[in-house]
Amino acid sequence: MSFDVNPTELVAVALACVLIAVPTSLVLVGAVAATPRPSWNRAGLAVGLGLLLGVILALTSVFIGSDGTIATIGQIAMILGLLCVIAAGVFAVLTALDRGGEQLGMILAITGGGLVALGEPVQNIPLFLAMSSSVLVAIAGVIIDLVAIAAIVGALAGIASRVPAVRLGLSLAGAITALFLLISVLILLGGGSGIGVSTMIVIGLVALAIGSIAGGVLETLRVRRNRQGADHTADPATSAGRDGRS
């Protein structure tokens, strides 16, 4: 390993970081969107702390090396986090259908988001070191990946905060992307090549579109039910007023 920077390797790592960040960002923003709106700050804090700890572990493995312990921690955190996000997505759908489970879904989403954020930087270190023998390029890869994730998650969360229907879409996209990421991680652990990043991006975007449409329909039905309930509540008072005047 060296501290020399090859511009070609740096550009290649940067492009790889942006591409890799997309499915991970869908998972993380899906975890945030799966929580009730007042809990978004807690979910965002969990993701932020997870990324910070993950970066520290990743840089530690780059500078002082590791006997595999850090990589194992990253793998365990990623697998457990993905399982939590998948479950949180299921509970988000149940909540949208008024089937309950909001609190449990919130706990799973916050936990899953933090664990995935912790495992992400550690998981990418072997890729960066395979693309370049430079320590500085590997460090740059970790930082670029962090910035890309923060930008994508922030943008999508901002959209979801303004368009409630997108929340369900993001939850569904996050859960489905987490499922394929989990399968890919398990395949890689078994010595396979995993699922392509572009495939996961396409699947996640399709799930986002379908979930957003479903969220819009459910939101419309919810508003309609609330209006009907308000009308029924107001009817007795109106009738009583009419009887009094007569």
Side-chain angles (χ1 to χ4, degrees):
M1 297 179 67
S2 67
F3 287 89
D4 297 329
V5 177
N6 186 322
T8 303
E9 293 178 348
L10 180 59
V11 171
V13 168
L15 293 176
C17 287
V18 174
L19 191 62
I20 292 171
V22 175
T24 304
S25 299
L26 286 175
V27 172
L28 294 177
V29 77
V32 174
T35 64
R37 183 65 181 86
S39 300
W40 279 20
N41 288 338
R42 280 180 283 179
L45 178 61
V47 170
L49 290 176
L51 286 173
L52 178 60
L53 292 175
V55 168
I56 293 174
L57 289 176
L59 295 181
T60 300
S61 66
V62 170
F63 278 110
I64 66 175
S66 173
D67 57 357
T69 303
I70 294 179
T72 302
I73 292 174
Q75 291 169 352
I76 294 174
M78 180 64 76
I79 292 173
L80 293 178
L82 291 173
L83 288 172
C84 288
V85 174
I86 293 170
V90 174
F91 280 106
V93 174
L94 293 176
T95 301
L97 296 173
D98 294 329
R99 295 293 188 271
E102 185 177 50
Q103 291 300 316
L104 180 56
M106 178 187 69
I107 295 172
L108 289 170
I110 293 175
T111 303
L115 289 174
V116 170
L118 171 63
E120 169 68 8
V122 179
Q123 292 283 296
N124 292 334
I125 286 297
L127 172 63
F128 298 154
L129 293 178
M131 297 178 68
S132 174
S133 60
S134 173
V135 174
L136 295 180
V137 172
I139 294 173
V142 173
I143 296 174
I144 294 171
D145 184 45
L146 176 65
V147 172
I149 289 175
I152 297 172
V153 171
L156 292 176
I159 295 173
S161 65
R162 292 173 175 81
V163 185
V166 178
R167 284 183 56 190
L168 181 61
L170 287 174
S171 301
L172 184 61
I176 292 177
T177 306
L179 175 61
F180 280 89
L181 268 176
L182 177 62
I183 295 173
S184 182
V185 169
L186 294 177
I187 292 175
L188 289 172
L189 289 177
S193 58
I195 300 174
V197 175
S198 57
T199 301
M200 286 188 283
I201 293 175
V202 171
I203 293 173
L205 293 178
V206 171
L208 173 60
I210 295 174
S212 298
I213 294 172
V217 173
L218 292 174
E219 182 69 16
T220 301
L221 293 176
R222 184 185 65 80
V223 172
R224 186 173 299 174
R225 285 198 304 269
N226 291 340
R227 287 178 179 174
Q228 290 175 349
D231 291 340
H232 288 313
T233 303
D235 283 344
T238 304
S239 300
R242 289 174 180 173
D243 293 339
R245 286 194 298 270
S246 61

